[in-house]
Amino acid sequence: MAQTSKYDLLIIGGGINGAGIARDAAGRGLSVLLVEMNDLASHTSSASTKLIHGGLRYLEHMEFRLVRESLIERERILKIAPHIVWPMRFVLPHDKGLRPKWLLRLGLFFYDNLGGRKLLPATKTVNLREGPHAQTLEDRLVSGFEYSDCWVEDARLVVLNCMDAKERGADIRTHTQCTALSRKNGHWSATLNSDAGEETVSAKTVINAAGPWVDEVLGKAKEGTHKDHVRLVQGSHLIFPKLFDHDEAYIFQNRDNRIIFAVPYEHEYTLVGTTDVLWKEDPAKVAISDAEKQYICDAVNEYLRVDVTPDQAVWDYSGVRPLYDDHKSDNSTVTRDYVFDLDEEQGARVLSIFGGKITTFRKLAEHALEKLELGGEGWTADKPLPGGDFDPMQFDQLVGEFQRQYGWMDERMLRRLLRAYGTRVHKLLDGVTSVSGFGEHLGGDLYARELEYLCEHEFVREADDALWRRSKLGLHLDKDAHAKVAAWFANQESTR
Ligand code: FAD
């Protein structure tokens, strides 16, 4: 009879929370297995607004702990992943009849000072009738504030955590679903399903980081118990061809008290969102509704000179926030903070995670491992993620260094690769001395070499993993290129 593999920790879910915990735990010397039923970051963690931020809006809801922790994490994450995280300035127009100027200024004063800001520039007032904002914003908007936050490639943050976890000894398995959990003599016995068939593994502790499926997984572990901890709140985004031509983002105040971001995206686009709508169906089926599309367009039309309609959007995406349900607040005010549920029956422990933000994943992982007292110290605060070992304020210098070494490469392509892979570009370009060394040209600046790298190092199995999660090349490539990428993967599959 085959022997059952044994782990200290079984992590269910390859979103940002599972990935962050896998990395931290592997670095503490624990034996870790992470299972993800689809691709890494295939659900909420690739569907965010992609901000590493304190959450200015949460100050209004008195979530000072969350905002402070997020602001402290903001610069830490910028430092450990400076290729996929970068500073961004946000313009908040003052609009008569909405929040008064003094209140915006006070909120931004706290925002600047709550979380030990060192690298990012402070808030300043802006005259919106001058410079690029005058051409972009409606005439009634005359002044506002400009403040700092950061942008993150959310799905890549998940993958980098899993790569690092693997390099520190963790077993990371995608397309592997945990279908059953049972307690046996102070351990867990877990049934896993994948292409390879069914397998049983044993683990001392289970981390339930299943995001929108957290209650479902908890139901497997605690058969028959009441499950209504999570509130699923849908959020959607629309992507338009550039709506303005500068690199600052906007934060618009809506009449319903919510806010909407309009952010420069992938050089040629503007990303606009998000919404807060209760979701009661299967989380895997979440999709933007016509009402959400109109709501997003209305916000743009209220603030920008250009008018947009839903059919002008080139792409959209939706995700489901797995929030901790206090059964009181409404969808936009229910806490975004994370909450742990630890069940220790019969000595086999399961820690379930509710809520949280991309921004707080590292601290959440540290807190989870502290709570479980599995030994080892927190170590992730200043250890770069794969490819992130350079100064966050020196990206252009990094490009210069690589240009000197790989002078034959097109600068635009080199910049794209450095933004995605950071210093791991050396690995991707190992042994390549000219464009012909990249192998088959698939479209735009995508060549077979990059796909090989993604399959070998970044857990990629299918075209969508590469085009929509490890990158957003899906937005830039034409139909022919999409077909070529699909054919490349089909060919790999047939030769496997
Ligand atoms: P997920 O990413 O959903 O991961 C859970 C994973 O578990 C899934 O991939 C799923 O396939 C897997 N799984 C489930 N069941 C099983 C099983 N039985 N076996 C194996 N695998 C399983 N945060 C920010 O910091 N900044 C933002 O700008 C921001 N914007 C947001 C905008 C929107 C619209 C939304 C929805 C969220 C936003 N967030 C933001 C919050 C953030 O995206 C989420 O808190 C975070 O991604 C949740 O990660 P997770 O790991 O808990 O869940």
Side-chain angles (χ1 to χ4, degrees):
M1 207 168 109
Q3 257 210 308
T4 309
S5 307
K6 288 193 173 138
Y7 296 90
D8 293 324
L9 218 53
L10 165 65
I11 300 170
I12 302 170
I16 191 60
N17 290 331
I21 295 172
R23 177 189 191 223
D24 192 336
R28 292 179 195 222
L30 300 170
S31 63
V32 175
L33 169 62
L34 179 147
V35 292
E36 164 53 53
M37 63 181 175
N38 304 123
D39 180 30
L40 297 173
S42 48
H43 294 284
T44 323
S45 298
S46 57
S48 79
T49 310
K50 309 180 201 306
L51 305 180
I52 295 290
H53 64 159
L56 187 54
R57 185 168 75 94
Y58 310 140
L59 284 175
E60 269 183 343
H61 308 148
M62 307 291 176
E63 298 224 44
F64 293 109
R65 194 211 75 80
L66 173 65
V67 176
R68 184 176 148 70
E69 182 172 293
S70 302
L71 288 170
I72 295 170
E73 284 304 288
R74 187 177 61 174
E75 291 204 4
R76 281 197 181 135
I77 295 169
L78 172 62
K79 283 192 204 148
I80 63 172
H83 40 339
I84 59 158
V85 179
W86 57 88
M88 199 175 257
R89 295 291 278 175
F90 287 75
V91 172
L92 168 58
H94 167 250
D95 200 359
K96 277 197 189 121
L98 297 177
R99 294 166 187 89
K101 247 186 218 169
W102 67 263
L103 185 63
L104 299 181
R105 189 70 198 87
L106 183 68
L108 286 163
F109 173 80
F110 280 120
Y111 206 67
D112 269 354
N113 294 294
L114 260 179
R117 182 182 48 81
K118 291 197 184 78
L119 297 175
L120 300 172
T123 298
K124 62 175 194 186
T125 49
V126 271
N127 179 346
L128 301 177
R129 293 296 98 224
E130 280 176 359
H133 306 304
Q135 290 143 36
T136 310
L137 294 169
E138 291 282 1
D139 284 341
R140 72 170 194 285
L141 305 164
V142 293
S143 67
F145 299 96
E146 190 190 293
Y147 69 93
S148 291
D149 260 325
C150 290
W151 173 264
V152 62
E153 302 289 356
D154 52 3
R156 291 204 55 72
L157 187 65
V158 176
V159 169
L160 295 184
N161 273 279
C162 286
M163 281 171 76
D164 201 53
K166 186 177 171 194
E167 288 168 14
R168 294 174 194 275
D171 188 353
I172 308 287
R173 299 194 208 166
T174 60
H175 300 274
T176 304
Q177 184 174 17
C178 174
T179 52
L181 281 169
S182 57
R183 292 179 150 109
K184 273 193 193 131
N185 308 325
H187 275 69
W188 287 99
S189 170
T191 309
L192 308 179
N193 240 302
S194 68
D195 294 349
E198 200 166 270
E199 185 190 349
T200 305
V201 296
S202 159
K204 277 190 213 147
T205 303
V206 167
I207 304 256
N208 173 8
W213 290 268
V214 60
D215 272 347
E216 189 184 307
V217 169
L218 196 53
K220 294 186 205 303
K222 295 164 73 173
E223 235 173 290
T225 41
H226 185 58
K227 304 173 272 168
D228 65 347
H229 296 308
V230 76
R231 186 184 313 187
L232 300 180
V233 178
Q234 172 181 12
S236 300
H237 293 83
L238 288 179
I239 290 88
F240 296 97
K242 253 187 192 181
L243 298 177
F244 47 86
D245 203 10
H246 57 77
D247 58 8
E248 293 184 348
Y250 290 108
I251 168 170
F252 301 140
Q253 306 176 64
N254 261 12
R255 308 252 156 224
D256 60 4
N257 242 2
R258 294 189 63 259
I259 46 109
I260 290 270
F261 291 102
V263 188
Y265 188 51
E266 289 283 315
H267 304 292
E268 295 156 38
Y269 302 98
T270 303
L271 170 74
V272 192
T274 181
T275 54
D276 279 309
V277 184
L278 194 64
W279 182 258
K280 295 212 158 183
E281 318 278 318
D282 176 357
K285 297 207 169 114
V286 68
I288 190 167
S289 67
D290 287 345
E292 284 178 289
K293 285 183 186 174
Q294 197 52 55
Y295 177 88
I296 292 171
C297 289
D298 288 349
V300 169
N301 298 341
E302 177 85 14
Y303 280 89
L304 298 190
R305 279 172 185 273
V306 289
D307 273 351
V308 292
T309 52
D311 57 352
Q312 285 169 252
V314 293
W315 187 48
D316 59 69
Y317 62 84
S318 282
V320 175
R321 303 172 182 87
L323 303 178
Y324 185 77
D325 199 350
D326 61 4
H327 299 284
K328 286 198 283 269
S329 322
D330 68 29
N331 296 331
S332 67
T333 58
V334 62
T335 184
R336 265 58 175 165
D337 211 346
Y338 50 84
V339 174
F340 294 144
D341 174 284
L342 179 60
D343 183 282
E344 306 190 87
E345 231 180 86
Q346 301 165 35
R349 300 185 298 168
V350 54
L351 182 78
S352 298
I353 296 160
F354 298 85
K357 294 160 54 59
I358 300 271
T359 308
T360 49
F361 83 94
R362 196 202 63 81
K363 201 69 201 167
L364 179 151
E366 239 173 43
H367 281 159
L369 294 169
E370 272 162 25
K371 190 165 180 79
L372 291 168
E373 297 177 343
L374 293 170
E377 296 273 303
W379 60 275
T380 55
D382 53 11
K383 289 278 183 304
L385 283 158
D389 47 342
F390 65 92
D391 184 332
M393 296 323 209
Q394 307 276 321
F395 182 73
D396 284 336
Q397 279 83 336
L398 184 80
V399 175
E401 271 170 43
F402 273 72
Q403 271 181 309
R404 282 190 286 284
Q405 192 168 345
Y406 304 100
W408 48 271
M409 263 190 82
D410 170 58
E411 186 193 333
R412 204 181 140 101
M413 177 174 178
L414 184 58
R415 274 187 180 270
R416 178 179 73 75
L417 295 182
L418 283 169
R419 268 290 171 223
Y421 309 110
T423 56
R424 292 281 166 116
V425 167
H426 284 309
K427 213 168 206 170
L428 199 153
L429 296 180
D430 189 26
V432 182
T433 52
S434 68
V435 176
S436 61
F438 279 138
E440 185 187 350
H441 181 227
L442 299 154
D445 62 12
L446 178 65
Y447 293 82
R449 176 73 179 204
E450 190 172 348
L451 296 183
E452 284 158 12
Y453 173 87
L454 288 172
C455 293
E456 193 177 338
H457 300 284
E458 296 204 356
F459 313 93
V460 161
R461 295 244 305 242
E462 294 163 4
D464 277 4
D465 307 348
L467 296 180
W468 294 106
R469 285 179 289 276
R470 303 313 178 273
S471 76
K472 289 292 179 282
L473 285 168
L475 260 179
H476 301 283
L477 297 179
D478 61 20
K479 250 172 124 183
D480 280 357
H482 276 263
K484 275 191 179 169
V485 174
W488 188 90
F489 277 95
N491 190 37
Q492 300 293 305
E493 187 64 36
S494 65
T495 53
R496 213 175 274 155

